[in-house]
């Protein structure tokens, strides 16, 4: 005689753990492992180093370009660069650590409704993205204040709303794409390699095949917004979000809901 089993989330009827408590637990998990702690420390250290280097080098000397000037907008862009690069790895670790460190059995025993755990992790990823933008603004403002005191042509405070929105969305989408890849693969090395290698391979293919570069690459590359996006930029961005986030997340959530916990 054989017995069939169903996912615990399909048969659980109790009150369960409040979602707010799950979010607090996942926030702690975001930084309490050795890898995630040093990754977060690296992001802060790299951002601080960038600010110091910019202040040491000083404003750009070219009158035709403001890229090297010490302005709040330029410093904000520089501060968000390491965050956009490394925060997706933290999101990957947040998801895959349950499976690589065999914590899933404990997590899904305490809260059998797996969809609630997924929502909590996704919420924490969004919170981390917003916090990163706030930190980037604070560090940029601090460096801009110091730059204005040191250099006579530094310390410009103007920044456009589109630059703020694009900075937030670039970090947020990168984190969500990392989250989706982690849910789909449930393996830390595989998710990290896929996140960084697949976009690079696509760019190489686009550079080698002119038709792909001219007609397709803008629609399928990892979504990234310019500081002042046009209508076509938004269309390419939304297309990339569907390909890189929505589709992997759909299959990833389905895999988490059905995977056997060992």
């Amino acid at each position: 005689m054989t017995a069939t089993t169903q996912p615990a989330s399909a048969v659980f009827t109790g009150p369960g753990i409040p979602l707010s408590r799950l979010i607090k637990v996942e926030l702690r998990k975001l930084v309490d492992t050795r890898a995630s702690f040093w990754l977060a420390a690296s992001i802060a250290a790299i951002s601080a180093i960038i600010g110091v280097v910019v202040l040491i080098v000083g404003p750009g000397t070219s009158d035709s370009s403001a890229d090297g000037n010490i302005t709040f907008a330029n410093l904000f862009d520089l501060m968000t660069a390491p965050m956009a690069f490394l925060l997706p790895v933290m999101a990957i670790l947040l998801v895959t650590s349950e499976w690589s460190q065999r914590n899933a059995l404990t997590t899904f025993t305490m809260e059998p409704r797996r969809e609630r755990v997924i929502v909590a992790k996704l919420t924490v990823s969004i919170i981390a993205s917003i916090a990163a933008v706030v930190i980037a603004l604070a560090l940029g403002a601090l460096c801009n204040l110091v730059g204005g005191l040191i250099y006579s042509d530094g310390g410009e405070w103007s920044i456009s709303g589109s630059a703020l929105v694009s900075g937030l969305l670039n970090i947020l989408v990168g984190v969500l794409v990392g989250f989706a890849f982690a849910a789909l693969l449930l393996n830390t090395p595989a998710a990290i390699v896929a996140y960084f290698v697949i976009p690079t391979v696509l760019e190489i293919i686009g550079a080698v095949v002119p038709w792909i570069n001219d007609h397709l690459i803008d629609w399928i590359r990892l979504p990234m917004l310019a500081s002042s996006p046009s209508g076509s930029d938004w269309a390419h961005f939304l297309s990339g979000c569907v390909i890189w986030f929505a589709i992997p997340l759909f299959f990833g959530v389905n895999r988490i809901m059905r995977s056997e916990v060992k």
Side-chain angles (χ1 to χ4, degrees), residues 156-254:
E156 171 62 44
W157 287 97
S158 63
I159 184 172
S160 65
S162 61
L164 290 173
V165 171
S166 63
L168 172 60
L169 288 179
N170 287 336
I171 291 178
L172 178 60
V173 171
V175 168
L176 294 180
V177 170
F179 184 97
F181 273 57
L184 180 63
L185 299 173
L186 297 181
N187 181 277
T188 303
I192 293 175
V193 169
Y195 179 84
F196 288 109
V197 171
I198 294 178
T200 303
V201 171
L202 283 178
E203 295 295 336
I204 293 174
I205 293 174
V208 172
V209 183
W211 185 90
I212 294 178
N213 185 66
D214 295 337
H215 300 90
L216 191 60
I217 193 66
D218 287 337
W219 297 95
I220 63 173
R221 63 164 37 116
L222 191 70
M224 186 70 67
L225 271 179
S227 297
S228 300
S230 62
S232 61
D233 291 333
W234 280 107
H236 297 154
F237 180 79
L238 293 175
S239 173
C241 288
V242 172
I243 295 171
W244 291 88
F245 170 62
I247 294 175
L249 183 66
F250 173 81
F251 289 103
V253 169
N254 184 67

Side-chain angles (χ1 to χ4, degrees), residues 32-53:
D32 70 350
T33 65
R34 187 176 301 174
S36 59
F37 171 80
W38 285 110
L39 189 59
S42 299
I43 294 173
I46 293 171
S47 299
I49 291 171
I50 289 175
V52 172
V53 170

